[in-house]
Amino acid sequence: QVTLVESGGDSVQSGGSLTLSCRVFAYSYSTYVLTWFRQAPGKEREGVAAIDSDGRTTYADSVKDRFAVSSEDAKKITLQMNSVRPEDTAMYFCAADFARPLTYWTSDKVFDVKTYHYWGQGTQVTVSS
């Protein structure tokens, strides 16, 4: 049984900062990928940032140098959002994979929504100009 619970979503002004957290309730896994996705109204869900159990991170071009992802083992993933923009407005979801070896993952696969079996319910981020 795996449960993901996001928190930290809020309304913030453009240029501000926000920290999202995702708690992972599961057995201890030594190999994992934890990923943040987001979905704006009328748009497809897109990958934002990912981190694996070796500490490697992957970022979407749109958030590189503004967002930072970190994890505390496989129990919590945090997304530090700086210099936010109105286009960052979306529902943010965390997703987890504990089954695949780290050699499976590429930058395309890590942001493929079909890859993930476990999802949280999402937390809303609204950025006003």
Side-chain angles (χ1 to χ4, degrees):
Q1 182 78 16
V2 176
T3 303
L4 307 178
V5 180
E6 301 96 336
S7 62
D10 205 347
S11 296
V12 60
Q13 288 196 325
S14 182
S17 297
L18 201 60
T19 303
L20 305 184
S21 296
C22 174
R23 295 295 303 273
V24 181
F25 297 94
Y27 292 113
S28 294
Y29 293 95
S30 59
T31 301
Y32 59 84
V33 170
L34 302 175
T35 302
W36 284 99
F37 288 82
R38 66 186 181 187
Q39 189 166 19
K43 294 190 176 181
E44 293 187 350
R45 193 167 296 190
E46 63 175 2
V48 176
I51 187 166
D52 70 20
S53 45
D54 279 354
R56 285 185 293 255
T57 57
T58 305
Y59 293 94
D61 289 342
S62 59
V63 306
K64 226 172 259 188
D65 300 325
R66 299 190 298 123
F67 292 7
V69 63
S70 60
S71 72
E72 297 176 18
D73 295 326
K75 297 302 183 184
K76 183 179 178 182
I77 178 174
T78 300
L79 184 67
Q80 178 64 44
M81 305 169 62
N82 299 319
S83 302
V84 296
R85 304 166 180 167
E87 54 263 40
D88 295 322
T89 295
M91 184 72 80
Y92 283 71
F93 301 87
C94 61
D97 181 275
F98 302 104
R100 295 176 174 85
L102 295 186
T103 51
Y104 167 86
W105 298 97
T106 65
S107 56
D108 288 337
K109 289 177 181 176
V110 80
F111 288 154
D112 184 350
V113 297
K114 298 186 296 295
T115 305
Y116 295 87
H117 183 70
Y118 302 109
W119 291 87
Q121 294 300 306
T123 187
Q124 178 67 38
V125 173
T126 303
V127 182
S128 57
S129 57

